[in-house]
DNA sequence: ATTTTATCGCAACATTGTTGCAAATGATAA
DNA sequence: TTATCATTTGCAACAATGTTGCGATAAAAT
């Protein structure tokens, strides 16, 4: 069985996540890492973190992909059914841990994962009345 | 004011949408068009169609972007609040026009658009018990 | 038919993500 | 501590996707 190692690069990436209130793209992580490691390594670390349920991947309407730390890694069944908010002004993406959509599916579909992203203006940008 | 023109390329793209039951990526459209026009032109046509509320853009968890015809262009207020299903086996993306999520948002957010994509197995792939 | 301007083709570029392979390094046990 | 070995890394090269500038083309209106 494949074990996951704690490398300096991985630790650095996790620290970046720890410091961030919002979800981060590969590029944003790379900028904050200041050449701690190669671009490719970041991709591979992110893959592993997603695989190990430490981070979850968020895909935005505009095609950008971001990542955020999971704060429920302790749960037995690990699913990300919370919503995300994408601000059209500041482009920040945040987890809305308490927003979970309810819906009724037609028969004959097997749903395994959901991706619910809302976009518009975040509280910050709404207050600066843009 | 900018007016939109009906060009042969645009007509060809619309015909491709008309023939398709599922959402299409830029690459899929290009393949079906058989060099009717340049790759860049397809991008520009898609942009215009989205802008004119004739087509809507769907962004998938795996990072792929697809487009589907809107079948409610007549509505006064044009919003895409229906869900989409993305099959992890055949990779087809279909509009679930009747599935609309209900949810409760925290205050101070202004929601303008939602993107609700479910993934798993579509009826076709579920029946071929994979 | 003429005019206007939206659209197109092309080339060049930017960004994002992937792969193969030799070298480096973390974890484990001797 | 040292030896071992599978995991991880860096590098280089590649692939896919999307963007921009600009001169040429063509749709639509007069
Ligand atoms: Zn904002
Ligand atoms: Zn989240
Ligand atoms: Zn399927
Ligand atoms: Zn749809």
């Amino acid at each position: 069985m494949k074990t996951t190692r704690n490398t300096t690069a991985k630790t650095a990436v996790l620290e970046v996540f720890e410091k961030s209130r919002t979800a981060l793209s590969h590029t944003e992580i790379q900028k904050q890492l200041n050449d701690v490691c190669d671009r490719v390594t970041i991709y591979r670390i992110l893959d592993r973190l997603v695989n190990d349920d430490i981070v979850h991947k968020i895909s935005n309407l505009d095609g950008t992909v971001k990542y955020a730390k999971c704060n429920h890694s302790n749960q037995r069944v690990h699913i990300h059914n919370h919503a995300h908010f994408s601000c059209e002004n500041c482009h920040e993406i945040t987890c809305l841990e308490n927003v979970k959509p309810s819906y009724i599916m037609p028969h004959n579909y097997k749903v395994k994962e959901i991706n619910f992203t809302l976009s518009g203006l975040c509280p910050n940008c709404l207050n600066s009345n843009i």
Side-chain angles (χ1 to χ4, degrees), chain A:
Chain A
M1 132 204 140
K2 258 194 167 218
T3 56
T4 274
R5 289 182 184 174
N6 286 319
T7 64
T8 48
K10 181 180 163 188
T11 309
V13 170
L14 280 174
E15 268 171 24
V16 170
F17 275 117
E18 221 60 72
K19 273 187 284 183
S20 178
R21 196 181 41 81
T22 60
L24 299 165
S25 68
H26 170 271
T27 314
E28 287 164 340
I29 295 169
Q30 191 184 0
K31 274 176 193 155
Q32 291 200 41
L33 279 185
N34 268 82
D35 289 313
V36 166
C37 64
D38 194 72
R39 208 170 61 85
V40 180
T41 303
I42 302 177
Y43 278 113
R44 299 201 256 227
I45 288 173
L46 288 172
D47 281 349
R48 268 180 282 148
L49 290 177
V50 168
N51 234 280
D52 295 349
D53 283 337
I54 294 166
V55 150
H56 59 284
K57 191 174 176 177
I58 308 155
S59 144
N60 203 30
L61 237 193
D62 62 12
T64 56
V65 173
K66 299 218 179 187
Y67 299 84
K69 255 210 110 182
C70 301
N71 53 12
H72 45 38
S73 334
N74 38 339
Q75 282 174 15
R76 216 156 29 92
V77 180
H78 192 96
I79 8 167
H80 301 97
N81 56 349
H82 63 270
H84 294 107
F85 192 83
S86 164
C87 179
E88 66 182 26
N89 182 245
C90 66
H91 297 106
E92 279 187 359
I93 294 184
T94 44
C95 294
L96 302 171
E97 297 283 352
N98 298 316
V99 180
K100 294 173 185 185
S102 57
Y103 53 94
I104 299 164
M105 278 294 287
H107 299 302
N108 292 323
Y109 283 91
K110 180 167 188 179
V111 176
K112 294 190 181 177
E113 241 181 311
I114 70 163
N115 174 31
F116 186 39
T117 309
L118 304 115
S119 55
L121 292 172
C122 73
N124 261 350
C125 295
L126 198 60
N127 282 337
S128 21
N129 42 331
I130 306 225

